[in-house]
Amino acid sequence: MIGAGPGGMTAALYAARANLNVAMLDRGIYGGQMNNTDDIENYPGFTTIKGPELGEKMYQGTVKAGVNFVYGDVQNVTVDDQQMKHIQTDSDELVASAVIIATGSNNRKLGVPGEEKFSGKGVSYCAVCDGSFFKGKNVTVVGGGDSAISEGLYLANVTDGVNVIHRRDQLRAQKVLQNRAFDNDKIDFTWNTSVTEILGDENHVTGVKIHNNQVGDDTTLDTDGVFVYVGNFPNSQIFNNLNITDQAGWIITNDQMETTIPGIYAIGDVRQKQLRQITTAVGDGGIAGQNAFEYFEAIKHRQTVKD
């Protein structure tokens, strides 16, 4: 498994329970994006659960099943003439018959002046990580999807006020999240507007320049922090040589999580699909883990027939 988020851990669990020798590679702590999520309210079995707590529970399940967790930053994956997969990390090379890619996605940036300069000085992509630094202050959230509104609600609990800036005239988030945000007196909305620059002094963010997409006005808003949630991009660059992605970088699979290369599967947020949630990543992982077992069985059968 390349990646130890919810999909990778589920795939590892299924494969290990099928008595396969499983290594789960990740360059960070297990749990993936769940570690940046405060309350998870749509995972079956829990009315609400903290993201890191759910990650820990999943990880303990893999440990019990005998999965080997390996820290490593994967640099490249190649396939030899015998269909063996060579996984090159920053410190080692692993060889496997099957690989399940679960590398997820990263937050997309605005790409405006000031964003890089003030990253860590008021610009953030994780409210759970950085929200406590803004107690008693006012912050801006850029975006209109589930992540933007969910994290905006979190920030409303720890800051004096939240202004959600969205380039459209309505949100894309789930209705239940929208209703909570609209009912929260500490959350305001700026519609049909894009952030064009992030302003600040030498130490921290002081404001944003914004452009109204309908009227055409350019104005400046004061703010102490900017939290950016404008979509994701896939962590698939290291697989470019395999030619298994679409033009945007999402890995293409069938409904069995199979890529065009036998023995290479892709699951979770890195895969080309419509809904990217913990539940869908877990579902993908179960399918891929079981299919990896079936792949090994097919190899064993061919070897037996050949012998």
Side-chain angles (χ1 to χ4, degrees):
M1 315 301 155
I2 304 177
M9 288 193 285
T10 303
L13 176 65
Y14 271 68
R17 285 174 61 85
N19 205 31
L20 299 182
N21 185 13
V22 180
M24 186 165 57
L25 284 162
D26 204 295
R27 60 187 177 187
I29 190 171
Y30 50 84
Q33 296 284 4
M34 288 191 297
N35 292 315
N36 299 330
T37 305
D38 185 42
D39 290 325
I40 297 171
E41 298 180 331
N42 59 355
Y43 192 80
F46 300 96
T47 303
T48 183
I49 186 170
K50 302 293 184 182
E53 181 184 359
L54 182 56
E56 181 63 29
K57 289 179 180 295
M58 289 184 178
Y59 175 70
Q60 291 303 326
T62 67
V63 171
K64 184 178 179 180
V67 174
N68 299 304
F69 185 86
V70 180
Y71 286 102
D73 190 359
V74 176
Q75 307 293 314
N76 191 33
V77 176
T78 56
V79 183
D80 64 26
D81 293 339
Q82 304 301 314
Q83 289 298 305
M84 295 300 292
K85 288 74 180 176
H86 298 257
I87 304 96
Q88 184 67 53
T89 74
D90 53 348
S91 60
D92 199 4
E93 180 181 86
L94 288 79
V95 181
S97 296
V99 170
I100 298 176
I101 300 170
T103 47
S105 60
N106 275 340
N107 293 310
R108 192 175 299 280
K109 296 185 178 181
L110 291 173
V112 301
E115 184 176 17
E116 291 292 337
K117 179 180 179 180
F118 295 107
S119 180
K121 298 181 179 180
V123 174
S124 175
Y125 306 88
C126 176
V128 177
C129 308
D130 300 325
S132 61
F133 296 118
F134 297 90
K135 289 181 179 179
K137 299 182 179 181
N138 294 293
V139 298
T140 296
V141 169
V142 185
D146 284 354
S147 295
I149 303 309
S150 177
E151 302 300 83
L153 287 163
Y154 174 85
L155 289 167
N157 286 328
V158 297
T159 67
D160 276 2
V162 177
N163 181 22
V164 176
I165 297 178
H166 188 39
R167 61 181 179 176
R168 298 185 175 92
D169 60 358
Q170 58 184 355
L171 302 174
R172 294 178 290 106
Q174 300 175 58
K175 286 297 182 181
V176 63
L177 293 176
Q178 292 189 37
N179 292 338
R180 289 179 189 172
F182 293 144
D183 290 341
N184 194 310
D185 293 337
K186 294 175 70 175
I187 300 179
D188 295 318
F189 294 87
T190 302
W191 304 104
N192 301 306
T193 298
S194 300
V195 172
T196 57
E197 185 176 354
I198 298 174
L199 307 172
D201 54 29
E202 292 186 2
N203 298 314
H204 54 77
V205 167
T206 58
V208 291
K209 286 186 178 180
I210 58 174
H211 175 77
N212 186 290
N213 303 323
Q214 287 190 333
V215 180
D217 289 346
D218 294 300
T219 55
T220 298
L221 295 178
D222 293 335
T223 190
D224 298 301
V226 180
F227 290 81
V228 180
Y229 302 99
V230 290
N232 298 328
F233 64 90
N235 290 323
S236 62
Q237 298 86 350
I238 57 176
F239 310 112
N240 286 343
N241 63 300
L242 299 177
N243 296 318
I244 57 176
T245 69
D246 63 13
Q247 290 185 341
W250 304 104
I251 297 179
I252 302 170
T253 73
N254 59 18
D255 60 1
Q256 295 302 304
M257 309 303 132
E258 298 167 325
T259 68
T260 54
I261 300 176
I264 294 185
Y265 306 85
I267 62 176
D269 286 6
V270 75
R271 188 169 77 89
Q272 184 192 71
K273 61 179 182 177
Q274 184 174 0
L275 184 63
R276 294 183 173 88
Q277 295 281 293
I278 297 173
T279 50
T280 61
V282 165
D284 290 355
I287 294 170
Q290 179 63 26
N291 283 339
F293 167 73
E294 299 292 345
Y295 180 74
F296 275 94
E297 289 295 294
I299 292 175
K300 288 166 56 178
H301 176 71
R302 288 196 297 269
Q303 290 176 341
T304 300
V305 171
K306 184 178 179 180
D307 293 341

